[in-house]
Amino acid sequence: MQAIMQIFLARNNVQAGPYNLDQLNIMLTSGEVLLDDLIWHEGLDQWQRVGNLTNNQGVYRPTSISSPEVNDSIVNNVTVFPEDTETSSTEDGKSVSLDRLYGKPERPKDNAKADMTSNRHHTPHNNVSLNKTAANKNITAKDKVVGDVVLAPIMSRILATALNGLLYLLAIFPLGLALTKMDVDYSKFQNIQDMDAAYQYSMTLMESLPSSTLMISQVMVFGLFALQLVFITMRGQSLGKLITGIRVVDQTTHRLPSFIKLIGTRTLLLFIIYNLLFSFTSFLGFVIVAIHYYMASKSPQNIGWHDKLAKTLVVKADSSQLVKQPKVK
């Protein structure tokens, strides 16, 4: 009977495995194994870059599949064995166990100094991931997990929206304060049939305001919008999401969505839609917001109509979501 190929992987001088060929290809397809990771199995004389063996494709098809005894001298060559505790430092300086770094079941504390290759005779779990994130350490029973991400709680999303609204109110505070000192006829803004008259009336009000007040308001509003766009583009987070620790990711890759999804569909288009709704009547705008979060609360993946439109998920933020996946050539 032909033995199953035992494949070992390594990243940043930390080893994981063994895996079989099917598991490797599943993780390659999902992006959990990167083309720049190292790979070794019987038949290779040294550790090699995964992409070199797959021709930079997302699937590995070795020419021969056999598995005599594992060569410990090669496997151990890439493994780090700290003397005191079996931990490895991540880029942010936090110390994590090597097993957790590669998503493997952690061994008991009394076995902490055991050789990492001692788990080669254990059957790996099918859901083993090389990209288990720091956020996954804090998963609670109430959290919804999709692949390698934890979905953001609905209340966190509502809080983020409320914070963004509060920031906008603070930005227009000088303008609002000046308008309270004027005799404003708000009924002119409630006539949906005559939007031109409402626009002309608003222009008249603006001309009546002190130029310094208008300038301060414009600087604060445009500054806020510019800051929001920068964070959304670079991190997938509005300021409200940044404060609440959640982020928008692509439904498929679980990484930052494309610029078109983030800025075109989810930001500018939604801004236009809600601006029109709140211009007609504030009540209608709040109803649409409520519908979005109601849909999200009933969805297995917390998907509201915003998310359906942009094909995105809102998840608990983790730095691994910002890492760009290598392009498969």
Side-chain angles (χ1 to χ4, degrees):
M1 181 177 178
Q2 192 178 49
I4 298 175
M5 172 182 283
Q6 289 187 323
I7 300 172
F8 292 86
L9 301 168
R11 184 185 301 164
N12 298 328
N13 270 352
V14 182
Q15 173 198 313
Y19 305 103
N20 60 41
L21 184 61
D22 289 338
Q23 290 172 325
L24 171 64
N25 283 326
I26 289 173
M27 291 189 291
L28 274 170
T29 301
S30 68
E32 294 171 331
V33 172
L34 307 178
L35 296 180
D36 287 330
D37 288 341
L38 298 179
I39 183 174
W40 182 87
H41 59 74
E42 190 66 30
L44 300 179
D45 57 356
Q46 62 183 356
W47 288 88
Q48 297 193 34
R49 179 177 172 271
V50 173
N52 292 346
L53 296 185
T54 66
N55 293 321
N56 289 323
Q57 301 298 312
V59 62
Y60 181 38
R61 299 187 181 93
T63 53
S64 61
I65 302 178
S66 61
S67 180
E69 292 187 4
V70 176
N71 188 331
D72 283 341
S73 64
I74 295 179
V75 173
N76 292 336
N77 186 46
V78 76
T79 307
V80 177
F81 298 100
E83 294 181 358
D84 296 327
T85 58
E86 186 181 336
T87 60
S88 174
S89 295
T90 56
E91 292 182 359
D92 58 7
K94 295 181 179 178
S95 186
V96 298
S97 73
L98 299 180
D99 280 341
R100 184 177 290 279
L101 180 63
Y102 274 108
K104 297 183 294 183
E106 292 197 73
R107 286 164 284 174
K109 294 297 182 181
D110 55 354
N111 292 332
K113 293 188 178 183
D115 189 321
M116 281 188 65
T117 61
S118 63
N119 72 334
R120 70 180 56 167
H121 299 296
H122 296 278
T123 302
H125 295 286
N126 290 332
N127 62 348
V128 168
S129 168
L130 290 181
N131 281 342
K132 293 293 182 182
T133 63
N136 287 351
K137 297 179 184 179
N138 301 320
I139 296 176
T140 66
K142 295 181 179 180
D143 284 329
K144 295 181 181 179
V145 180
V146 176
D148 58 350
V149 296
V150 181
L151 297 179
I154 299 299
M155 289 308 300
S156 294
R157 297 174 61 174
I158 294 175
L159 178 59
T161 300
L163 288 172
N164 285 328
L166 178 61
L167 289 172
Y168 177 73
L169 291 177
L170 291 175
I172 64 172
F173 179 75
L175 180 61
L177 186 62
L179 288 174
T180 59
K181 299 178 181 179
M182 302 175 61
D183 186 17
V184 180
D185 184 3
Y186 292 100
S187 64
K188 291 186 179 294
F189 298 103
Q190 298 174 356
N191 187 359
I192 301 176
Q193 304 298 327
D194 196 358
M195 295 302 297
D196 184 61
Y199 175 77
Q200 295 298 331
Y201 182 64
S202 64
M203 290 295 99
T204 302
L205 290 175
M206 294 300 104
E207 292 172 357
S208 304
L209 292 173
S211 58
S212 58
T213 300
L214 283 176
M215 182 176 296
I216 293 173
S217 297
Q218 289 173 350
V219 169
M220 293 181 67
V221 171
F222 285 113
L224 174 63
F225 285 161
L227 196 60
Q228 292 277 36
L229 287 176
V230 168
F231 275 94
I232 291 172
T233 303
M234 303 300 296
R235 302 183 59 85
Q237 296 171 297
S238 63
L239 293 177
K241 286 183 172 63
L242 181 66
I243 295 171
T244 54
I246 61 179
R247 170 179 289 123
V248 175
V249 297
D250 187 275
Q251 285 184 13
T252 303
T253 65
H254 294 173
R255 304 293 177 92
L256 278 187
S258 65
F259 181 84
I260 293 177
K261 284 185 178 181
L262 267 179
I263 303 301
T265 305
R266 193 174 177 103
T267 302
L268 296 182
L269 181 58
L270 289 180
F271 175 78
I272 293 172
I273 291 174
Y274 280 113
N275 188 55
L276 291 174
L277 290 173
F278 280 100
S279 295
F280 291 150
T281 168
S282 59
F283 174 76
L284 182 59
F286 284 116
V287 167
I288 300 301
V289 172
I291 290 174
H292 166 68
Y293 287 120
Y294 177 78
M295 289 177 60
S297 67
K298 297 300 181 181
S299 167
Q301 296 186 344
N302 290 2
I303 294 177
W305 72 269
H306 294 179
D307 311 298
K308 284 183 177 293
L309 187 66
K311 292 182 172 58
T312 55
L313 294 175
V314 182
V315 302
K316 289 187 176 181
D318 184 76
S319 58
S320 65
Q321 298 151 3
L322 301 176
V323 179
K324 294 184 179 180
Q325 291 180 331
K327 294 182 178 180
V328 178
K329 298 181 180 178

